[in-house]
Amino acid sequence: CSGTITFDQLFSFSHYIFAPFIEFSPSGRYLYVTATDSLFQFDMHSSNIPASKVVVAIFDGFFFNPQYPAYFGYPLRAIDGKIYISAGDVNAFHVINYPDSAGIACQVGQHQIILPCFISMDPSIPNYRLGALPGECDSLLSVADFGSQKEMLNVFPNPFDETFSITLSNVKEKISSISVYRVDGIEVFHCAENANSISIKGKSGIYIVKVLTLSGKSMVRKMVKK
């Protein structure tokens, strides 16, 4: 929340690096560093993090052709908990299958996934599954109502006990779908048409309502469940 760096260890990394990238395991305990021909793991729970460095994989010599070695490139943790690593200009991904396991138990599968085309980097995917943060730190709690959206979308009552209703002020607009999400991004309700009454039986807290219209407009409203 404050933007203050609270952990700032600095240590040297004496290895030939063409394109260094990092990624954390799902629990945050292990940090992985790709270093061209090697993949390293650091234990963030260690009292001496630099000394915890372990080589978990070394380039196995795989070339798509003589010009394109499958080195360790950009890593990206996916929703299945695995870490996928691009292999440069090669149609393959390396995979760290068990990132929260120590050492070689993390099981690195080199060029484990063969792609139908070449890819230099992993796709840039925003992480919508970070979960709720305490207090006002959570940006999801500040979803804004903008201009005409606020005038057009009526959601009541707010706060609500278990049910609420949605109407549109503009009679020319028709609702095509309604979705309700928890603040951690989990969808708890969906209806592919208008609904006279929406029932949410989950826990008390903040919910996000998203309404799509037949004309393509998207409107969002923050709701509070008692």
Side-chain angles (χ1 to χ4, degrees):
C1 293
S2 66
T4 302
I5 296 176
T6 56
F7 182 83
D8 57 350
Q9 284 196 33
L10 177 66
F11 55 91
S12 61
F13 191 81
S14 56
H15 186 86
Y16 167 73
I17 301 176
F18 174 71
F21 297 100
I22 65 172
E23 181 62 282
F24 286 94
S25 67
S27 70
R29 173 164 185 174
Y30 295 107
L31 174 69
Y32 291 89
V33 179
T34 62
T36 310
D37 63 352
S38 300
L39 177 61
F40 296 91
Q41 181 194 79
F42 292 84
D43 186 352
M44 303 303 289
H45 288 186
S46 172
S47 59
N48 187 340
I49 294 175
S52 72
K53 181 176 69 174
V54 176
V55 179
V56 293
I58 297 176
F59 171 56
D60 64 2
F62 178 83
F63 280 73
F64 179 78
N65 61 43
Q67 295 181 336
Y68 298 102
Y71 286 143
F72 298 101
Y74 185 77
L76 180 68
R77 187 177 68 248
I79 61 174
D80 61 1
K82 298 181 180 182
I83 295 176
Y84 295 83
I85 305 173
S86 64
D89 293 319
V90 177
N91 62 332
F93 274 136
H94 309 302
V95 182
I96 305 177
N97 290 283
Y98 303 101
D100 272 318
S101 297
I104 60 174
C106 69
Q107 293 190 17
V108 178
Q110 297 195 45
H111 42 87
Q112 179 173 319
I113 298 178
I114 302 300
L115 304 170
C117 59
F118 296 97
I119 184 170
S120 296
M121 300 285 285
D122 292 348
S124 298
I125 304 174
N127 189 351
Y128 294 111
R129 300 172 177 84
L130 293 173
L133 298 175
E136 297 181 356
C137 298
D138 196 341
S139 60
L140 288 177
L141 302 183
S142 60
V143 175
D145 297 318
F146 296 101
S148 61
Q149 290 190 7
K150 184 174 181 180
E151 297 174 358
M152 182 185 298
L153 180 61
N154 302 308
V155 185
F156 57 92
N158 188 15
F160 67 99
D161 290 313
E162 186 173 297
T163 62
F164 61 88
S165 300
I166 293 177
T167 62
L168 298 180
S169 299
N170 188 342
V171 295
K172 295 181 180 180
E173 289 285 357
K174 302 296 181 182
I175 293 176
S176 64
S177 69
I178 300 171
S179 299
V180 181
Y181 301 87
R182 298 191 323 221
V183 292
D184 59 2
I186 301 299
E187 186 178 64
V188 296
F189 176 88
H190 179 78
C191 181
E193 58 185 5
N194 195 4
N196 294 326
S197 180
I198 298 171
S199 178
I200 304 297
K201 298 181 180 180
K203 299 179 180 179
S204 299
I206 304 295
Y207 288 81
I208 306 300
V209 179
K210 182 178 180 180
V211 175
L212 296 179
T213 68
L214 292 175
S215 66
K217 291 185 173 65
S218 175
M219 293 166 284
V220 176
R221 180 64 57 86
K222 180 177 66 177
M223 300 289 292
V224 178
K225 188 176 188 301
K226 298 178 183 179

